[in-house]
Amino acid sequence: MPRLYFDANASTPPHPEVVEVVRRAMLEDWANPTSSHREGQRARHRLEEARRELAVALAVAPGELVFCATATEALHLLIHGLHPALGDRPAAVFPGEHSACLNPLRDWSRVAWLPDLPAECATLVQMAANNETGLLYAMPAALDAVRIQDCAQAWGKVPLALADCDAAVFSGHKMGGPRGAALLWMRPALPWEPVLAGPQERRRRGGTEDLPAILGLAAAVQHLPERMALNAALAPLRDAFEAELQAWNRDVEIIGQASPRLPNTSCVLFRGRNGEALQATLDLAGFAVSTGSACHSGAVKPSHAITTIGYTIEDARSVLRFSLLPDAQSDEVEALAAAIKRLT
Ligand code: PLP
């Protein structure tokens, strides 16, 4: 039996057209976009073309986009870059945020946990969708604070609301793009200073741009409308999977079931069971699932995304995350449910 992959929130396979675009770019567009010769100028032209296409897709100005390698990098550049001007005032962050947001806030003078919003708040960070639970979050209203949205999980799955934000980050490899391309979007005139010195990206992110990956990202974005539709159509499939598990075992709880969440994500609490052992058993049986975000699995620490919404550490150790790829089929999901019932 072929292996079945239910870990789309960790990474997705690149769209076949993306693979072709990256392959061709590695053969033809390998020159340095900063070089002044004709090859470099051609690369620069392709880079700016990709920036324009991505800006159209996000409905922002091309000059507001900075190419980075990962969303983690983009968040670090953004938050560290705001620190010199704003770091003496408090920041507020959603407690279930990804470590890619929490780590760069470590040198901030004071960090409050949303919904606590200190009066003097200088910046607030709120993810659009949680990677582990799939829960969706709106950007809180805040006067005079730089509102940062982590869109790494929401992009390509649900509509975004950038009008409510001042800066946001996007990751390519979660939405059918290649690894190595991500975006930092910032409104003009934010009190932000570059962290990585260098002439590239209008001095906002030093380092030669990974043009093949960036062209692949621009190609992936052309498929976003169909990807969003496919993801939206997953909700009934996901709901049927959850209903089957709950009918089978009354100790199974679906985290966030009654709240707005990503249509592809099912965060299941197998109360009294060990999530890591369940994950390993399913892996041996041919099913790739996750005990939490990929960045945390392998670490014994239970997921803070689960404990911050009211579950115990023991519960967090009993959670499996199933995240469906946009082309998931009902017989695949049924096979997964059958394996869970058989093996756990
Ligand atoms: N933010 C969220 C919500 C994520 O889920 C992830 C990755 O899992 C990241 C940020 C980091 O993304 P990247 O892998 O592009 O660094």
Side-chain angles (χ1 to χ4, degrees):
M1 188 175 131
R3 285 188 62 82
L4 293 174
Y5 182 84
F6 296 97
D7 203 12
N9 290 7
S11 202
T12 58
H15 190 284
E17 198 181 307
V18 169
V19 175
E20 187 44 35
V21 165
V22 172
R23 193 192 74 85
R24 204 169 348 112
M26 290 189 86
L27 293 170
E28 296 172 6
D29 293 311
W30 43 262
N32 191 328
T34 310
S35 302
S36 55
H37 46 61
R38 196 171 297 179
E39 287 79 2
Q41 283 174 23
R42 180 187 141 105
R44 152 81 39 203
H45 176 74
R46 306 292 313 273
L47 181 75
E48 295 311 325
E49 217 171 48
R51 198 189 310 272
R52 278 192 295 277
E53 287 170 16
L54 287 155
V56 168
L58 290 169
V60 302
E64 296 169 6
L65 290 178
V66 182
F67 288 119
C68 299
T70 61
T72 302
E73 181 201 341
L75 284 161
H76 278 69
L77 294 188
L78 179 57
I79 294 169
H80 284 310
L82 290 169
H83 186 265
L86 304 180
D88 288 342
R89 286 166 51 199
V93 62
F94 172 61
E97 261 300 343
H98 196 275
S99 54
C101 287
L102 300 176
N103 288 336
L105 282 167
R106 277 190 186 154
D107 54 0
W108 219 270
S109 65
R110 186 186 152 210
V111 177
W113 298 119
L114 288 168
D116 177 20
L117 196 57
E120 288 296 291
C121 184
T123 186
L124 65 92
V125 190
Q126 172 68 67
M127 63 197 340
N130 185 270
N131 39 303
E132 296 176 45
T133 60
L135 287 167
L136 303 180
Y137 297 94
M139 178 58 73
L143 282 178
D144 196 27
V146 177
R147 298 157 304 169
I148 298 172
Q149 192 167 48
D150 175 358
C151 298
Q153 285 299 337
W155 203 24
K157 295 182 184 135
V158 288
L160 303 176
L162 293 188
D164 300 336
C165 316
D166 303 301
V169 305
F170 308 85
S171 183
H173 73 101
K174 314 267 190 198
M175 45 67 85
R179 209 67 55 82
L183 292 172
L184 166 56
W185 166 69
M186 288 185 284
R187 287 193 192 281
L190 289 187
W192 180 85
E193 286 178 17
V195 173
L196 282 177
Q200 294 85 1
E201 297 299 293
R202 298 197 201 157
R203 312 204 77 84
R204 292 170 298 179
R205 190 258 193 184
T208 305
E209 293 95 343
D210 185 344
L211 184 56
I214 290 167
L215 296 181
L217 181 64
V221 155
Q222 303 310 318
H223 295 279
L224 270 197
E226 79 203 33
R227 194 174 186 89
M228 295 258 292
L230 286 169
N231 270 317
L234 291 175
L237 204 61
R238 187 264 325 261
D239 294 345
F241 166 73
E242 294 177 347
E244 192 169 346
L245 292 186
Q246 287 177 299
W248 160 68
N249 186 335
R250 302 180 91 206
D251 282 342
V252 164
E253 181 181 333
I254 311 301
I255 293 178
Q257 194 170 25
S259 305
R261 55 192 172 127
L262 293 175
N264 78 320
T265 305
S266 189
C267 185
V268 183
L269 168 54
F270 294 89
R271 204 165 258 116
R273 307 292 184 92
N274 181 289
E276 285 191 38
L278 292 181
Q279 188 262 341
T281 303
L282 286 169
D283 192 30
L284 282 174
F287 300 89
V289 307
S290 170
T291 49
S293 79
C295 319
H296 299 132
S297 47
V300 194
K301 225 174 127 211
S303 158
H304 70 285
I306 310 291
T307 51
T308 53
I309 54 171
Y311 291 89
T312 64
I313 288 180
E314 204 185 347
D315 288 339
R317 289 193 206 279
S318 304
V319 162
L320 285 189
R321 178 189 72 185
F322 306 95
S323 50
L324 279 54
L325 289 171
D327 60 356
Q329 301 296 311
S330 56
D331 59 338
E332 297 170 348
V333 180
E334 280 159 19
L336 172 65
I340 293 170
K341 293 201 270 183
R342 193 174 65 247
L343 299 168
T344 60

